[in-house]
Amino acid sequence: MPCFSAEVGPLSKANFVLDYDGVILNSLFEKFVVGFNAHLRIAGTTPLLGGSELHFDDYRGRLEAEPEIFEAFRAYVPLIGDVGENSVVFRLIERGLQVQDRESFRTTIADFGDDYLQACSAEVLELRRRYSEIDANTELCPAFPSVVHDIKQLANDVLFTICTTKPLQNVEHFNEVLGIGRFIGDIHVCEDNRQKVDILDRLAQDFSVENNEVGFIDDFARHLLPAHESGFKCFYAAWGFGGPEDEEAVERAGIPALGLDGFAPAIREFIAKQGTERKVSG
């Protein structure tokens, strides 16, 4: 599947790869609003949240009236892979279905058929594109302020790369809004989020470094585990959208789990270690 990136040359800095949603950007409400509206457009009707489209100025009030809908959606977020599944989950919520793991989730939604799943993906992408042109959309996706601050502070010593399934236009828009565009090197956007380890492999080759010289942080175990097994230095973003299954999986694998206050110290330790190893090897 194709990836697109901004070109940047190798620098004598530590290499660190960042997921975007759930690491830099708190896009949980955006996922909900876009997913719900896409579901409504495809299904034509829904018993949830009054059965009408959510708007930027009314979604919070309507969620407060039916908080169990958002709670049900939040429980599904760790299981979501393809962007269209942000819409698919509302079909499950309507039926009161609960699924415990990614494998069961994929098996369940496969029964809906490929045409339906593809329609959900297309609708979510189209709504994301449309909403990105509306200023109020930015309010749906606040940043994690300390992460933005840390990126700016650490950029002199770290070449930050983004690896995400979020559309490039959206990433560039939020980078500009957050003022971090000039602190980011490559932006890799993949249609298939299971390709992240392939991107890491390619980055290590491009920068002529060993896999353990590339750091990677994500909020889902399914992205981290293949990278960890390939020798990359991985960290779990515990402030993101992962769930208990993710927490258990990274703990079993020995992947450090970081809170927001642990993000910068972990990267500084990573930088120091890379500097020491380079001196020894040199």
Side-chain angles (χ1 to χ4, degrees), residues 105-124:
F105 176 72
R106 295 181 68 182
T107 300
T108 300
I109 66 174
D111 291 339
F112 297 153
D114 289 342
D115 289 345
Y116 170 75
L117 298 178
Q118 291 170 11
C120 288
S121 296
E123 193 63 48
V124 166

Side-chain angles (χ1 to χ4, degrees), residues 87 89 122 146 161-162 174 234:
S87 173
V89 296
S146 64
T161 300
I162 289 171
F174 282 106
C234 295

Side-chain angles (χ1 to χ4, degrees), residues 12-39:
S12 56
K13 297 182 178 183
N15 296 285
F16 207 93
V17 181
L18 306 164
D19 179 32
Y20 208 74
D21 286 348
V23 172
I24 297 174
L25 207 63
N26 186 358
S27 57
L28 194 57
F29 284 110
E30 185 253 5
K31 291 176 183 291
F32 184 92
V33 171
V34 170
F36 178 83
N37 288 345
H39 170 68

Side-chain angles (χ1 to χ4, degrees), residues 37-233:
N37 288 345
H39 170 68
L40 181 60
R41 290 169 67 91
I42 292 170
T45 183
T46 178
L48 306 176
L49 298 171
S52 61
E53 184 176 352
L54 292 173
H55 300 284
F56 295 151
D57 60 354
D58 72 357
Y59 75 93
R60 287 190 180 273
R62 289 167 66 183
L63 288 180
E64 289 174 2
E66 297 185 61
E68 69 278 6
I69 306 302
F70 184 77
E71 291 170 6
F73 176 82
R74 179 64 183 88
Y76 273 116
V77 169
L79 310 181
I80 292 173
D82 180 83
V83 292
E85 293 169 7
N86 288 293
S87 173
V88 176
V89 296
F90 286 98
R91 190 165 171 177
L92 303 181
I93 293 171
E94 286 178 352
R95 300 180 180 187
L97 296 178
Q98 296 181 342
V99 181
Q100 300 302 318
D101 54 60
R102 173 68 178 160
E103 183 177 353
S104 299
F105 176 72
R106 295 181 68 182
T107 300
T108 300
I109 66 174
D111 291 339
F112 297 153
D114 289 342
D115 289 345
Y116 170 75
L117 298 178
Q118 291 170 11
C120 288
S121 296
E123 193 63 48
V124 166
L125 288 173
E126 173 59 18
L127 287 180
R128 273 188 168 180
R129 184 195 64 78
R130 285 173 48 195
Y131 292 169
S132 70
E133 300 171 354
I134 302 173
D135 290 341
N137 182 57
T138 303
E139 298 176 11
L140 279 178
C141 298
F144 294 101
S146 64
V147 175
V148 171
H149 173 270
D150 293 340
I151 288 172
K152 293 177 180 179
Q153 292 294 311
L154 294 165
N156 284 336
D157 299 310
V158 182
L159 176 59
F160 285 113
T161 300
I162 289 171
C163 181
T164 181
T165 59
K166 201 172 189 67
L168 181 62
Q169 178 183 357
N170 293 107
V171 175
E172 291 178 334
H173 166 74
F174 282 106
N175 280 353
E176 181 178 355
V177 169
L178 300 175
I180 60 173
R182 67 189 181 92
F183 301 102
I184 303 295
D186 272 7
I187 302 171
H188 290 267
V189 180
C190 294
E191 294 180 9
D192 185 341
N193 57 24
R194 289 177 292 277
Q195 278 198 346
K196 289 190 175 183
V197 69
D198 298 332
I199 292 175
L200 295 173
D201 282 331
R202 196 155 58 247
L203 285 171
Q205 294 173 13
D206 289 346
F207 293 117
S208 300
V209 297
E210 299 297 324
N211 288 3
N212 62 6
E213 296 180 87
V214 178
F216 175 46
I217 187 166
D218 203 290
D219 58 335
F220 290 128
R222 64 179 180 270
H223 305 323
L224 290 168
L225 294 179
H228 176 70
E229 292 167 0
S230 294
F232 295 98
K233 181 57 178 174

